[in-house]
Amino acid sequence: MTTVASFSVEYIQYLSPNGTLTGETIPPIAKDFETIKSLYKTMVMTRVFDAKAISLQRTGKLGTYASSLGHEAVHVGIGSAMKYEDVFAPAYREYGVQFIRGVKMSEVLLYWGGDERGSNFSGPPHDFAWCVPIATQNTHAAGAALSFKLRKQPRCTVSVIGDGGSSKGDFLEAINAASAFKLPMVFVIINNGWAISVPREKQSSGETLAQKGIAGGLPSLQVDGNDLLAVHHEVKKALERARNGEGATVIEAITYRLGDHTTADDASRYRPDEEVENAKRFEPVLRLRQYLMDNNQWSVQQENKLMEDCAIKVEAAVKEYQSASKLPVSDMFDYMFAELPHDLQEQRAFALALEEENS
Amino acid sequence: MTTVASFSVEYIQYLSPNGTLTGETIPPIAKDFETIKSLYKTMVMTRVFDAKAISLQRTGKLGTYASSLGHEAVHVGIGSAMKYEDVFAPAYREYGVQFIRGVKMSEVLLYWGGDERGSNFSGPPHDFAWCVPIATQNTHAAGAALSFKLRKQPRCTVSVIGDGGSSKGDFLEAINAASAFKLPMVFVIINNGWAISVPREKQSSGETLAQKGIAGGLPSLQVDGNDLLAVHHEVKKALERARNGEGATVIEAITYRLGDHTTADDASRYRPDEEVENAKRFEPVLRLRQYLMDNNQWSVQQENKLMEDCAIKVEAAVKEYQSASKLPVSDMFDYMFAELPHDLQEQRAFALALEEENS
Amino acid sequence: MANIAMVEAVSLALSHELEHDKDVVILGEDVGINGGVFRATSGLAQKFGENRVIDTPLAEAMIAGMTVGLATQGMKPVAEAQFLGFIFPMFEQIVCHAARMRNRTRGRLTCPLVIRAPFGGGIHAPEHHSESIESMFAHTPGIRVVIPSSPSRAYGLLLAAIRDPDPVLFLEPKRIYRLVKEEVVNDGEELPLDMCFELREGNDITLVTWGSMVKETLEAADALAKQDISAEVIDVATVSPIDHDTIAESVKKTGRCVIIQEAPKHCSVGSEIAATLAENSLYSLMAPVKRVAGYDVIMPLFKLEKKYMPTVGRILKAVNEVMEVS
Amino acid sequence: MANIAMVEAVSLALSHELEHDKDVVILGEDVGINGGVFRATSGLAQKFGENRVIDTPLAEAMIAGMTVGLATQGMKPVAEAQFLGFIFPMFEQIVCHAARMRNRTRGRLTCPLVIRAPFGGGIHAPEHHSESIESMFAHTPGIRVVIPSSPSRAYGLLLAAIRDPDPVLFLEPKRIYRLVKEEVVNDGEELPLDMCFELREGNDITLVTWGSMVKETLEAADALAKQDISAEVIDVATVSPIDHDTIAESVKKTGRCVIIQEAPKHCSVGSEIAATLAENSLYSLMAPVKRVAGYDVIMPLFKLEKKYMPTVGRILKAVNEVMEVS
Ligand SMILES: Cc1ncc(C[n+]2csc(CCOP(=O)(O)OP(=O)(O)O)c2C)c(N)n1
Ligand SMILES: Cc1ncc(C[n+]2csc(CCOP(=O)(O)OP(=O)(O)O)c2C)c(N)n1
Ligand SMILES: [Mg+2]
Ligand SMILES: [Mg+2]
């Protein structure tokens, strides 16, 4: 009996829940307060936006919406580690990443407002759109990464996946592809404890979800997903590895879904209130603010000002969303193909005539 | 930075390529020569059968056939470790397992002879049929294992997968299911170096394929798949674990595909002859015979007698195969549903009438 | 014996079978404590335990494969695909295994399974939650595809589907999950598969439909009655295999046929019905067959969803065109 | 300018595009050094290198997903599904992403990809190697489905498919891969998609078919000619979208139509063609439409395979039935 391979999964946290630095090493970002402040602002903005989106849904002004409450550090951490020319492959709630990359709040609203134009967003044109079929974005990311490798471009992809999604074959096959082709990419498993009503423990009895990367021999680690510094630093390191041709990394970021799965869900049916209350003690925004304040980088006045700012910007985004032009019926035909086939031309004409008749 | 999980993959071999016992421990089977002799006979029979099947194909008496040449130890090792009431989920070339479980050689021929009746075989009626869509058998096995667990039956499933198939989502999802539900099952990855023309290295850059089990936190190990003792003993141990409610195990058995992928393949197009020549030095039948002979358990006379026996039995099987009754046209309708729907009744009548007309 | 909605009728049938057949198990994502995203399995895990109503990891190919595995060993699994738009990872298992197990093994192994999935548009759901792809399954030999259109039919047909010794895809038009309530007696009485339901008798034209479009079709029939056009309304219910005889019989009487479906038109169940009329009922037809169907486009997000869905107005327009021909 | 078989024409088109468009890459199982299990990519890895002709791990969902990923970033991937029977794990990517990317993003991201797959029966292949499921894709909005039936059409249509800015499923009827040889000029000239090819002119009946059945249909037309029945033969070629106008035009002339396909009948491409005739060409029809199709059964293993496949005899029988009607 000989040992032919050994692996381990490390857990990384730099900022403790009460806002103090932990651990032996301190990553560069921990002392770059300008950057932290700017990222903190994005985190807060994301949260204000989120609350607004939920209230729009509640008042019938938005469709089903997937909240990002509690995920701000992992999302903003990823976004801030990436370069513009990299490609991001989201699932459906990673607005924090996308805001940093230039997607507008009004575009997020458009999407959840039932309007495809939301996915023709202002972020990098090469970024993927929201991806509802779970885990399918991971192989898109692998394909994009392969294109960079083939074209010898110094670019990477980052794709995310939930704890639930980490069970689906597509994610596992993407890890395998990253391993086989040594692709420049980073997988972030956003483990928020729940896949709708199914708790993390029911997805797998493995000690970690990160270890799914071991299947392909990829470096695999856990980070505190409520610790912006840890997410930012580890994703950045992984991107550097990838850009240097050293292949992919799997990062499990442990966070918590503080809200319902979506506005169509009622988590109280399956999740004890105490669990949520407890999780709030570890949430990402508070701890980062504490860190800034403890280092005299942030004040109550600044916080108040920020909240005002956010409210104004979110209001403006809502206005923009609500003033979007009406979608013409032709829209459902006009992007089907570069050139509309004969059959569809007829169906289009029929639909337009019908519209005419009915108006 | 704290280590939250560590894993390793062990490699196990009891019988060296030259037929001597290696390693510190000796498994019980190593001294159970009656059993070994019986399994040796099955291995040889499988090989004789295999050669015959290939020659039947070459002379137009069989369709495409997937050879098991070189896989005898891993197949017979699995088969001998299982109980009748366990369920086996094969791919398409694990005849050695199946012969031990009661499947007849003539049934294997029927199947590759283009006759569905081959899958209505004499093996355990609960065993799965050959499974061509790669890796889909692994989730069937998980489902069967779940049924045992739900019904509190002391039964297990064993499913196999190739090195190629280990890349496919179904296998990885099945591992995850086994982990999540703590299923009584054993996964054997039969790594024979090649998936048609694609070598093992192109499937994954992971050090082992066994480590795919680590994704779900399952005990994962490598065995010398040309060592009957190792395969038998480790599968048996894994089955005991499973039967005791301790969950699933992943075993990577390293062997080599000594022949073409199937009779439709020509491996010389992509595989260097030297590799095959080299692999023959490690093949399973020779080493087991050596071990038996070294222990005065086997003689040249016995070997000659065995070869004669095998030839006779294989001939009989071929006869049985060739004397199978003609398949009536109605057969393609009669097993579609328990009761044939109206539409199909009409199609069936049409097909029968046509047959009548044409005869 | 209270009045219940269709989704409650689904629950009731599931509950009935869980109670009366110990081999029945339910599995899927969120079917347990949560009771399914549409409450179709509401209360069942609580009542029958988590060994009968099983939350699975998020992996549809695995759910389908395990369902096949369970079924071959004599269980009667009822799996849920959370939405029909997420059933694609199940295709390989459905087409290559569930549909083929009996035939492949000459009856040695069978697949008495049900896969349920809510489907169709009209509830302002996000992307991939509103498609109608019954035709893909209807094209697949070896499975039945059943679509209820009322609480009582949901109850009776689901019982029949679970008891059927072969695989059944049971597609639930979610737009009408809670549309009407109906008295459903929980007597365990199944309704026949493979048969159309004649919902309304008529002499002038045959309206053939299924699932959620039954609603619009019946409304259209009401409107036509006011125009003195007597429309026969047929709910196909089992869209594979189709009970063509009932349709042909009706068209023989009326001479005219409009087929209404929510799914895109191209190569669909509606195509099959129209094609069969062209083959076998040509001389019954006094006017061209007409299909009122979804356009052959991606189901739009909900701002344009209504423009995609066939409406009563479109049905009436088609009927009037067909009636004009003399 | 030698005579080449259809599978060689496929190679030739691939080679042409690899040479002339640096964005083209080929990927799939065994497409590299081995040149594909049917030799369709024979020699290409050797000529263009393993960065252009890429052997992948064995995982179809991954192949399809990566193909989508490559295409969205401006590459023109040509993926191979080793057999159409193994394309099911690709469904989610094809239906939910390839077909929808342009529409979803309002043109921001597009999917100029091709997925090739050999399909159909008749070569004594093992289980799952012989199915014809073109209809499932033809039902899917947002993709083209193209099926060649001769070396020159394979060459010209595959070029067009690769150059098309939208996703194309290119299904190759493997029974006729090496059936006939034809002179194919490697001039990079594509043939038009979305159009039928009229293979033979005739006045008495229209025979509509595609793929491998073109062979039997032409043979039937020959036999009919001897009976003094002049059959027009139409190769649909692109089965989604279908060029219904050409078919309608022909039926207007002949008054009769038989549709021949290898796939099972139910909810198929043949259904769509017949349905469209019932809708738009009813007054052209002098006799019922007839479909000669595979039975709605599991494709049998090869002992009964021939009994499944439509034959010249079945075509003639159908034509004679249709001709008898006056
Ligand atoms: C293939 C597929 N199956 C099911 C769904 C329905 N669904 C949407 S989100 C979700 C749970 C996802 O959980 P997780 O991956 O943990 O991500 P989270 O929502 O927690 O961010 C499910 C089952 C889907 N969108 N796609
Ligand atoms: C889903 C699917 N894709 C492709 C194939 C075609 N195919 C048959 S065997 C094979 C290679 C399998 O290799 P491996 O898993 O290593 O098993 P081995 O044949 O070596 O035993 C392939 C690609 C298939 N049968 N199923
Ligand atoms: Mg989650
Ligand atoms: Mg192999």
Side-chain angles (χ1 to χ4, degrees):
Chain A
M1 198 162 98
T2 45
T3 301
V4 284
S6 316
F7 312 94
S8 63
V9 176
E10 313 291 337
Y11 174 83
I12 290 156
Q13 182 197 62
Y14 295 115
L15 198 59
S16 76
N18 55 27
T20 55
L21 289 177
T22 56
E24 310 103 58
T25 55
I26 296 177
I29 180 153
K31 295 294 159 202
D32 179 357
F33 289 110
E34 284 318 302
T35 300
I36 298 181
K37 267 189 279 187
S38 142
L39 299 181
Y40 173 72
K41 287 179 190 168
T42 305
M43 285 169 63
V44 171
M45 172 76 92
T46 306
R47 188 168 280 193
V48 173
F49 167 80
D50 196 73
K52 184 69 191 182
I54 292 173
S55 87
L56 286 173
Q57 191 280 335
R58 298 279 183 246
T59 52
K61 297 185 188 109
L62 196 69
T64 300
Y65 168 78
S67 158
S68 71
L69 187 66
H71 303 77
E72 294 83 359
V74 54
H75 294 171
V76 169
I78 293 170
S80 59
M82 291 179 69
K83 297 193 177 176
Y84 181 87
E85 64 268 26
D86 293 337
V87 165
F88 181 57
Y92 40 78
R93 59 166 109 252
E94 296 78 21
Y95 319 118
V97 190
Q98 297 180 306
F99 291 154
I100 293 188
R101 294 179 68 69
V103 175
K104 286 158 61 177
M105 290 186 276
S106 59
E107 292 163 344
V108 176
L109 294 175
L110 265 184
Y111 176 71
W112 293 110
D115 189 326
E116 284 81 357
R117 291 175 298 186
S119 290
N120 189 7
F121 50 51
S122 311
H126 48 262
D127 270 13
F128 287 95
W130 292 288
C131 183
V132 172
I134 298 285
T136 52
Q137 69 271 19
N138 296 119
T139 52
H140 298 165
L146 181 60
S147 82
F148 305 151
K149 189 169 171 170
L150 294 175
R151 288 169 158 172
K152 301 197 183 5
Q153 296 173 338
R155 300 167 66 193
C156 305
T157 57
V158 177
S159 61
V160 295
I161 187 71
D163 44 312
S166 78
S167 297
K168 191 160 174 268
D170 305 69
F171 171 62
L172 306 162
E173 289 187 355
I175 284 181
N176 196 67
S179 166
F181 294 117
K182 215 175 195 201
L183 296 175
M185 64 189 298
V186 179
F187 296 94
V188 183
I189 303 173
I190 304 182
N191 174 358
N192 64 6
W194 294 87
I196 309 186
S197 73
V198 181
R200 151 69 181 88
E201 313 83 72
K202 285 197 180 177
Q203 296 293 338
S204 155
S205 66
E207 298 89 324
T208 70
L209 296 176
Q211 72 204 55
K212 299 195 176 191
I214 295 176
L218 304 184
S220 304
L221 60 145
Q222 271 187 341
V223 301
D224 182 341
N226 292 337
D227 170 359
L228 175 80
L229 308 183
V231 177
H232 171 92
H233 185 65
E234 296 304 324
V235 173
K236 201 164 175 173
K237 262 173 41 190
L239 280 167
E240 274 159 24
R241 276 193 74 237
R243 232 180 288 279
N244 287 338
E246 295 167 59
T249 304
V250 175
I251 299 175
E252 176 187 4
I254 296 177
T255 179
Y256 191 82
R257 194 192 80 202
L258 287 171
D260 293 331
H261 170 67
T262 65
T263 53
D265 177 48
D266 173 6
S268 73
R269 279 206 295 253
Y270 52 79
R271 186 166 76 165
D273 283 348
E274 310 85 78
E275 185 182 303
V276 185
E277 284 315 308
N278 184 51
K280 283 185 183 156
R281 293 171 34 221
F282 302 93
E283 70 93 6
V285 173
L286 221 63
R287 107 166 55 170
L288 195 62
R289 182 163 68 219
Q290 195 61 48
Y291 179 64
L292 284 173
M293 285 183 155
D294 289 353
N295 284 276
N296 297 317
Q297 299 286 335
W298 197 250
S299 65
V300 174
Q301 291 84 329
Q302 278 171 300
E303 182 73 13
N304 291 341
K305 170 80 174 52
L306 173 61
M307 294 310 288
E308 269 170 47
D309 265 19
C310 289
I312 291 167
K313 282 186 186 142
V314 167
E315 255 342 296
V318 173
K319 278 242 171 63
E320 196 175 335
Y321 158 62
Q322 286 176 327
S323 64
S325 62
K326 194 163 169 279
L327 269 181
V329 168
S330 54
D331 231 59
M332 91 175 110
F333 297 94
D334 290 347
Y335 300 92
M336 287 298 300
F337 294 98
E339 258 184 83
L340 204 60
H342 185 67
D343 233 38
L344 275 178
Q345 282 176 25
E346 280 178 10
Q347 293 186 20
R348 182 181 188 274
F350 175 87
L352 293 190
L354 203 66
E355 194 62 6
E356 194 88 322
E357 276 173 42
N358 294 343
S359 69
Chain B
M1 197 160 101
T2 45
T3 301
V4 284
S6 316
F7 311 94
S8 64
V9 176
E10 315 291 337
Y11 175 84
I12 290 157
Q13 184 198 62
Y14 295 115
L15 198 61
S16 77
N18 55 28
T20 55
L21 288 177
T22 56
E24 311 105 56
T25 55
I26 296 178
I29 182 155
K31 295 295 160 201
D32 178 358
F33 288 111
E34 283 318 303
T35 301
I36 298 181
K37 267 190 279 188
S38 144
L39 299 181
Y40 173 72
K41 286 179 190 168
T42 306
M43 285 170 62
V44 171
M45 170 76 91
T46 306
R47 188 169 282 193
V48 173
F49 167 80
D50 196 74
K52 183 70 191 181
I54 291 173
S55 88
L56 286 174
Q57 191 282 334
R58 298 276 182 249
T59 52
K61 297 185 189 108
L62 196 69
T64 300
Y65 168 79
S67 158
S68 70
L69 187 66
H71 303 75
E72 295 83 359
V74 54
H75 293 170
V76 169
I78 293 170
S80 58
M82 291 178 70
K83 297 193 177 177
Y84 181 86
E85 64 268 27
D86 293 337
V87 165
F88 181 56
Y92 39 79
R93 59 165 109 251
E94 297 78 20
Y95 319 119
V97 189
Q98 297 181 307
F99 291 154
I100 293 190
R101 294 179 68 69
V103 175
K104 287 159 63 177
M105 289 187 278
S106 58
E107 292 163 343
V108 176
L109 294 175
L110 265 184
Y111 177 71
W112 293 111
D115 189 326
E116 285 81 357
R117 291 174 299 186
S119 290
N120 189 8
F121 50 52
S122 311
H126 48 261
D127 269 14
F128 287 96
W130 292 288
C131 183
V132 172
I134 297 286
T136 51
Q137 70 272 20
N138 297 119
T139 52
H140 298 165
L146 181 60
S147 81
F148 305 152
K149 190 171 170 170
L150 294 176
R151 288 170 157 172
K152 303 198 183 359
Q153 297 173 338
R155 301 167 65 192
C156 304
T157 57
V158 176
S159 61
V160 296
I161 186 71
D163 43 310
S166 79
S167 296
K168 191 158 173 267
D170 306 67
F171 171 62
L172 306 163
E173 289 187 357
I175 284 181
N176 196 67
S179 166
F181 295 117
K182 216 175 192 201
L183 296 176
M185 62 190 298
V186 178
F187 296 94
V188 184
I189 303 173
I190 303 182
N191 174 359
N192 64 6
W194 293 88
I196 308 186
S197 73
V198 181
R200 153 66 183 90
E201 314 82 73
K202 284 196 180 178
Q203 296 293 340
S204 156
S205 66
E207 298 89 325
T208 70
L209 296 177
Q211 72 204 57
K212 299 195 177 191
I214 295 176
L218 304 184
S220 303
L221 60 144
Q222 272 188 341
V223 301
D224 181 341
N226 292 337
D227 171 359
L228 175 80
L229 309 183
V231 177
H232 171 91
H233 184 66
E234 296 303 324
V235 173
K236 200 162 178 181
K237 262 175 38 192
L239 281 167
E240 275 159 24
R241 275 195 74 237
R243 231 181 287 278
N244 287 337
E246 295 168 60
T249 305
V250 175
I251 299 174
E252 177 185 2
I254 298 178
T255 179
Y256 192 83
R257 194 191 79 203
L258 287 171
D260 293 330
H261 170 66
T262 65
T263 52
D265 177 48
D266 173 7
S268 73
R269 279 206 295 252
Y270 53 78
R271 187 166 75 165
D273 282 349
E274 311 86 74
E275 186 182 302
V276 184
E277 285 314 310
N278 184 51
K280 283 185 183 155
R281 294 173 31 223
F282 302 93
E283 71 93 7
V285 173
L286 222 63
R287 103 166 60 168
L288 196 61
R289 181 163 67 220
Q290 196 59 50
Y291 178 63
L292 284 173
M293 285 183 151
D294 290 351
N295 284 275
N296 297 318
Q297 300 286 334
W298 197 251
S299 66
V300 174
Q301 291 85 327
Q302 280 171 299
E303 182 72 14
N304 291 341
K305 171 79 173 53
L306 174 62
M307 295 308 289
E308 268 171 46
D309 266 18
C310 289
I312 291 167
K313 284 187 186 143
V314 167
E315 254 343 296
V318 172
K319 277 241 171 64
E320 197 176 335
Y321 158 62
Q322 287 176 326
S323 63
S325 63
K326 195 164 170 276
L327 269 181
V329 168
S330 54
D331 231 59
M332 91 175 110
F333 296 95
D334 290 347
Y335 301 91
M336 287 297 299
F337 294 97
E339 257 185 85
L340 204 61
H342 185 69
D343 233 38
L344 276 178
Q345 283 176 25
E346 280 178 11
Q347 294 185 21
R348 180 180 189 272
F350 175 87
L352 293 190
L354 203 67
E355 195 61 7
E356 194 86 323
E357 275 174 43
N358 293 343
S359 71
Chain C
M1 282 207 290
N3 281 354
I4 59 174
M6 191 171 87
V7 67
E8 293 162 332
V10 167
S11 287
L12 198 62
L14 292 172
S15 180
H16 187 279
E17 290 308 276
L18 281 167
E19 191 161 333
H20 291 86
D21 187 342
K22 65 176 182 0
D23 290 329
V24 171
V25 288
I26 291 175
L27 69 164
E29 297 156 8
D30 306 293
V31 297
I33 299 302
N34 192 39
V37 296
F38 286 103
R39 339 285 319 118
T41 55
S42 185
L44 299 181
Q46 289 83 347
K47 185 161 169 201
F48 297 99
E50 294 192 49
N51 276 338
R52 305 288 305 283
V53 185
I54 303 166
D55 272 335
T56 65
L58 203 172
E60 283 81 6
M62 180 274 297
I63 295 173
M66 287 187 70
T67 300
V68 168
L70 285 161
T72 57
Q73 303 301 318
M75 309 274 301
K76 292 191 190 149
V78 182
E80 179 179 293
Q82 196 159 81
F83 288 85
L84 192 60
F86 306 134
I87 206 168
F88 296 104
M90 295 188 173
F91 262 64
E92 187 168 40
Q93 288 291 348
I94 294 172
V95 179
C96 299
H97 293 302
R100 304 172 74 123
M101 201 60 86
R102 177 189 292 278
N103 184 69
R104 171 185 295 147
T105 64
R106 288 300 180 249
R108 180 172 62 82
L109 294 174
T110 61
C111 259
L113 61 81
V114 174
I115 298 179
R116 297 176 40 247
F119 81 114
I123 64 159
H124 276 205
E127 203 184 351
H128 302 289
H129 289 67
S130 305
E131 283 71 11
S132 298
I133 56 157
E134 65 268 28
S135 149
M136 290 188 174
F137 298 111
H139 181 62
T140 301
I143 46 177
R144 284 192 164 76
V145 185
V146 177
I147 303 179
S149 66
S150 76
S152 58
R153 284 191 290 280
Y155 178 80
L157 291 171
L158 183 50
L159 288 181
I162 298 174
R163 295 171 191 168
D164 192 86
D166 289 304
V168 178
L169 271 153
F170 195 81
L171 308 182
E172 301 165 6
K174 61 183 159 40
R175 181 164 61 93
I176 60 168
Y177 255 161
R178 299 184 180 276
L179 194 74
V180 287
K181 296 202 171 199
E182 206 179 37
E183 188 179 305
V184 176
V185 187
N186 187 17
D187 55 4
E189 285 288 323
E190 56 188 80
L191 286 170
L193 303 178
D194 303 1
M195 272 184 52
C196 295
F197 294 89
E198 199 182 289
L199 301 186
R200 188 160 308 181
E201 269 197 67
N203 294 310
D204 300 331
I205 189 161
T206 304
L207 304 181
V208 180
T209 189
W210 55 94
S212 70
M213 280 296 145
V214 165
K215 173 183 183 290
E216 278 71 22
T217 305
L218 287 172
E219 285 171 20
D222 286 343
L224 290 169
K226 294 196 185 117
Q227 295 177 40
D228 263 345
I229 298 174
S230 143
E232 184 138 306
V233 177
I234 292 178
D235 175 3
V236 180
T238 301
V239 300
S240 182
I242 294 173
D243 169 13
H244 286 294
D245 288 352
T246 299
I247 299 170
E249 203 56 45
S250 174
V251 173
K252 196 168 169 185
K253 175 173 66 174
T254 63
R256 292 173 160 88
C257 184
V258 171
I259 302 156
I260 302 103
Q261 70 180 20
E262 189 177 316
K265 184 174 73 166
H266 205 255
C267 302
S268 62
V269 173
S271 314
E272 181 61 31
I273 295 169
T276 304
L277 291 172
E279 286 188 320
N280 300 337
S281 302
L282 193 73
Y283 303 118
S284 302
L285 286 172
M286 286 151 48
V289 176
K290 270 235 159 235
R291 286 179 285 169
V292 176
Y295 302 114
D296 290 309
V297 302
I298 304 299
M299 181 77 188
L301 293 187
F302 65 80
K303 267 196 192 165
L304 284 182
E305 175 177 45
K306 273 208 181 128
K307 306 294 180 184
Y308 168 90
M309 307 271 285
T311 54
V312 176
R314 274 185 67 192
I315 300 171
L316 293 176
K317 196 178 158 82
V319 169
N320 286 325
E321 278 173 36
V322 170
M323 293 307 299
E324 265 165 32
V325 177
S326 60
Chain D
M1 282 209 288
N3 281 354
I4 60 174
M6 192 171 86
V7 67
E8 293 162 332
V10 167
S11 286
L12 197 63
L14 292 172
S15 179
H16 188 278
E17 290 308 277
L18 281 167
E19 191 161 335
H20 290 87
D21 186 342
K22 66 176 183 359
D23 290 329
V24 172
V25 289
I26 290 175
L27 68 164
E29 296 155 8
D30 305 292
V31 297
I33 301 303
N34 191 40
V37 294
F38 286 104
R39 339 283 324 117
T41 55
S42 184
L44 299 180
Q46 288 82 347
K47 185 160 169 204
F48 297 99
E50 294 191 51
N51 275 338
R52 305 288 305 283
V53 185
I54 303 167
D55 272 335
T56 65
L58 201 173
E60 283 82 6
M62 181 273 298
I63 295 173
M66 287 186 70
T67 300
V68 168
L70 286 161
T72 57
Q73 303 301 319
M75 309 275 301
K76 291 191 188 149
V78 182
E80 179 178 293
Q82 196 160 80
F83 288 85
L84 192 60
F86 307 133
I87 206 170
F88 296 104
M90 295 189 173
F91 262 63
E92 187 167 41
Q93 289 290 347
I94 293 172
V95 179
C96 299
H97 292 302
R100 304 173 74 124
M101 201 60 88
R102 177 189 292 277
N103 184 69
R104 171 186 292 147
T105 64
R106 288 299 180 253
R108 180 172 62 82
L109 295 174
T110 61
C111 260
L113 61 81
V114 173
I115 299 179
R116 297 176 40 248
F119 81 115
I123 64 160
H124 275 206
E127 203 184 351
H128 302 288
H129 289 67
S130 304
E131 284 72 10
S132 299
I133 56 157
E134 65 267 28
S135 148
M136 289 190 175
F137 299 112
H139 180 61
T140 301
I143 47 178
R144 284 192 164 75
V145 185
V146 177
I147 302 177
S149 65
S150 75
S152 59
R153 284 191 291 280
Y155 178 80
L157 291 172
L158 182 50
L159 289 180
I162 298 173
R163 294 170 192 169
D164 191 85
D166 289 303
V168 178
L169 271 154
F170 195 81
L171 308 183
E172 301 165 7
K174 62 184 161 34
R175 180 163 61 93
I176 60 169
Y177 256 161
R178 299 186 180 277
L179 193 76
V180 287
K181 296 202 170 200
E182 205 180 41
E183 188 178 304
V184 175
V185 187
N186 188 16
D187 55 5
E189 286 287 325
E190 58 188 77
L191 285 170
L193 303 179
D194 304 359
M195 272 183 54
C196 294
F197 294 89
E198 199 182 287
L199 300 187
R200 188 160 311 180
E201 268 196 67
N203 293 311
D204 300 331
I205 188 161
T206 304
L207 305 181
V208 180
T209 189
W210 55 94
S212 69
M213 280 297 144
V214 164
K215 170 181 184 291
E216 279 70 21
T217 305
L218 287 173
E219 285 170 22
D222 287 342
L224 291 169
K226 293 194 187 119
Q227 295 177 38
D228 262 345
I229 298 174
S230 143
E232 184 138 307
V233 176
I234 292 178
D235 174 4
V236 180
T238 301
V239 299
S240 181
I242 294 173
D243 169 12
H244 287 294
D245 288 352
T246 299
I247 299 169
E249 203 57 45
S250 174
V251 173
K252 196 168 170 186
K253 174 173 66 175
T254 62
R256 291 174 161 87
C257 184
V258 171
I259 302 156
I260 303 102
Q261 70 180 19
E262 189 177 317
K265 184 175 72 164
H266 205 255
C267 301
S268 63
V269 172
S271 314
E272 182 60 31
I273 295 169
T276 304
L277 291 173
E279 286 188 320
N280 301 337
S281 300
L282 193 74
Y283 304 119
S284 302
L285 286 173
M286 285 151 49
V289 176
K290 271 234 159 237
R291 287 180 284 170
V292 177
Y295 301 114
D296 290 309
V297 302
I298 304 299
M299 181 78 187
L301 293 188
F302 66 79
K303 266 197 193 163
L304 284 182
E305 174 176 49
K306 271 208 180 129
K307 305 295 179 183
Y308 169 90
M309 306 271 286
T311 54
V312 176
R314 275 185 67 193
I315 301 171
L316 292 176
K317 194 178 159 80
V319 169
N320 286 325
E321 277 172 36
V322 170
M323 292 307 299
E324 266 165 33
V325 178
S326 60

